[in-house]
Amino acid sequence: MELLAIDFLGKPLRLEGSMAGWQQLFWDNTLVSQIAAAPTDTDQFTHQFELSNNEQTIQCQLNGTLSWQPFLIHYQASADQQMIVQGERNDKDIERQQPQQVIVPEKRFSFIGLASLGMKALKSAKLIKVVLASASLAAYSWLFSIQFALALLACLVFHEYGHIRAMKYFGMKTKGIYLIPFLGGLALSDEKINTRWQDVVISIMGPAFGLIMSLACMIAYWITGEMFFAGLAVFNALLNLFNLLPILPLDGGHVLKSISFSMNSKIGIIACALAAVVGVILSYRLGLTLFGFLLIMGSLEIIFEWRQRHQSHLLPLDRYGQIFSTVWYISLVAAFVGIIAYFASLGDSLLSLPLQILGT
């Protein structure tokens, strides 16, 4: 990930690195110094390099201290033992930065390139959104009624709007919402995230907005007594609950991966594994057999990939972020399970269907 980007002797000086310990220093997009990955307890770093200017060699140095949790980097850059620039950066600076874009060389004309350009234009057009939305409406109308299908699409759009709002909060440009028949929806952005906190917030805000929708429908059911609102509340809760499963590319997979990959010790991953075990046991105790099985599969996937966490370009969560994200995630899961269990207790066969699905 990009740790530092400053102006040095009239050209950009950029420092890339990861928790694995490796660092690469670029001056005007040219590699001038690097540090190999190695387990170390020190937070100090030093880069020494030479720059040539009008047949004159300048001895340069970049040194400082780097802390990952919480993220804080102090730096000093000098030329011929004279201080040029110094300062510090924290996690908020990382969130707001725009990563260095690699310049793609110009390619000659080709029919394949033209077709690729056409596909990109199609993806960005409003027409494809209308087509997908119409297909989704037709698909859900075939399964349910047209009224319920329209309401279900509204729930999906509201869920995806939660992702959009989170992206805009971090200053990211969005491309809108795409509805996909039988699969839900998709909120797209051309920009990449820089931190695990961004990944957590963007991922979890979809289910959070979904919870608001289910609660609103439940209140509408209490006021009007209409079973339409009850069915919408419980099925919307089921869709969002499955979205919180720790399986990539679902929202829950992104949240749990960001939490576990931010734990920089064996104690942390052991605690994460124990939490998963408790979740599985609780799922089976509550009769949520399917949810427990998928929880096992998703947790194993994350644990197997945990050793590669240091190679990620994303800034990890600090301790507060890990705890807050875990509590937020568990609270959402508990809320959706509670809504599903409540409507199942009313005795209606249709409203009990989501709980029966979870118990298969």
Side-chain angles (χ1 to χ4, degrees):
M1 65 173 295
E2 186 178 285
L3 303 177
L4 179 65
I6 58 176
D7 182 76
F8 183 73
L9 300 180
K11 298 291 181 63
L13 184 69
R14 187 177 81 255
L15 180 64
E16 302 274 351
S18 78
M19 290 181 66
W22 66 265
Q23 292 184 7
Q24 291 182 328
L25 184 65
F26 297 86
W27 186 74
D28 194 23
N29 289 326
T30 301
L31 181 64
V32 293
S33 176
Q34 59 183 338
I35 298 176
T40 177
D41 295 330
T42 181
D43 58 356
Q44 298 181 349
F45 64 89
T46 300
H47 290 273
Q48 295 180 335
F49 55 101
E50 295 181 349
L51 298 178
S52 298
N53 185 17
N54 296 327
E55 299 182 355
Q56 178 185 6
T57 300
I58 304 175
Q59 300 294 329
C60 304
Q61 181 173 296
L62 174 70
N63 55 58
T65 59
L66 171 62
S67 171
W68 285 99
Q69 293 177 321
F71 178 83
L72 182 64
I73 180 173
H74 294 272
Y75 61 89
Q76 296 178 339
S78 60
D80 288 338
Q81 299 183 347
Q82 292 186 353
M83 182 69 64
I84 301 298
V85 62
Q86 63 179 344
E88 67 176 34
R89 303 187 80 211
N90 57 28
D91 55 343
K92 296 301 181 183
D93 297 314
I94 297 295
E95 284 184 358
R96 290 190 293 265
Q97 76 181 10
Q98 292 293 330
Q100 177 73 21
Q101 300 293 324
V102 178
I103 300 175
V104 180
E106 184 179 355
K107 296 182 179 180
R108 295 183 178 179
F109 173 81
S110 69
F111 288 104
I112 296 178
L114 186 61
S116 176
L117 182 62
M119 289 299 296
K120 290 181 179 180
L122 181 62
K123 289 181 180 179
S124 62
K126 293 182 179 180
L127 176 62
I128 193 67
K129 296 181 182 179
V130 175
V131 172
L132 288 174
S134 301
S136 297
L137 179 60
Y140 296 130
S141 298
W142 177 67
L143 290 176
F144 310 104
S145 65
I146 180 66
Q147 295 86 353
F148 193 85
L150 287 171
L152 187 59
L153 288 183
C155 290
L156 291 174
V157 169
F158 199 65
H159 171 104
E160 298 302 330
Y161 181 70
H163 296 310
I164 293 292
R165 288 303 306 167
M167 292 176 185
K168 290 184 177 180
Y169 171 79
F170 290 114
M172 301 171 62
K173 296 180 181 178
T174 62
K175 296 182 64 176
I177 299 171
Y178 292 79
L179 296 174
I180 305 175
F182 300 112
L183 294 179
L186 188 64
L188 296 181
S189 172
D190 285 332
E191 300 184 21
K192 294 183 179 180
I193 58 176
N194 300 318
T195 69
R196 292 287 180 189
W197 176 242
Q198 289 177 314
D199 195 21
V200 168
V201 174
I202 292 173
S203 299
I204 210 169
M205 281 302 290
F209 270 58
L211 177 61
I212 294 174
M213 178 63 78
S214 281
L215 291 175
C217 292
M218 186 165 63
I219 293 174
Y221 165 71
W222 288 342
I223 295 175
T224 64
E226 291 288 338
M227 295 300 292
F228 174 85
F229 293 112
L232 193 59
V234 70
F235 277 97
N236 181 66
L238 179 65
L239 291 175
N240 281 276
L241 181 61
F242 270 102
N243 228 318
L244 285 172
L245 286 169
I247 302 173
L248 292 171
L250 298 180
D251 295 334
H254 285 281
V255 174
L256 268 296
K257 188 171 184 177
S258 288
I259 294 173
S260 60
F261 278 31
S262 297
M263 296 179 176
N264 195 27
S265 68
K266 292 183 178 180
I267 295 178
I269 193 61
I270 290 173
C272 187
L274 289 176
V277 171
V278 171
V280 171
I281 295 174
L282 188 61
S283 297
Y284 279 89
R285 288 287 182 87
L286 296 175
L288 310 177
T289 308
L290 178 60
F291 188 83
F293 173 75
L294 295 176
L295 182 61
I296 293 174
M297 297 296 101
S299 299
L300 289 176
E301 176 187 8
I302 291 174
I303 291 174
F304 289 151
E305 293 184 7
W306 183 75
R307 290 187 176 183
Q308 306 298 323
R309 70 196 184 284
H310 284 166
Q311 305 301 326
S312 173
H313 72 282
L314 301 180
L315 181 67
L317 297 167
D318 57 19
R319 294 290 178 263
Y320 170 78
Q322 294 170 26
I323 295 173
F324 184 86
S325 301
T326 301
V327 173
W328 194 3
Y329 174 81
I330 294 175
S331 299
L332 282 176
V333 171
F336 285 126
V337 171
I339 291 173
I340 292 172
Y342 166 74
F343 283 105
S345 67
L346 299 181
D348 185 271
S349 58
L350 183 61
L351 298 182
S352 300
L353 183 59
L355 188 62
Q356 294 175 15
I357 293 175
L358 293 176
T360 56

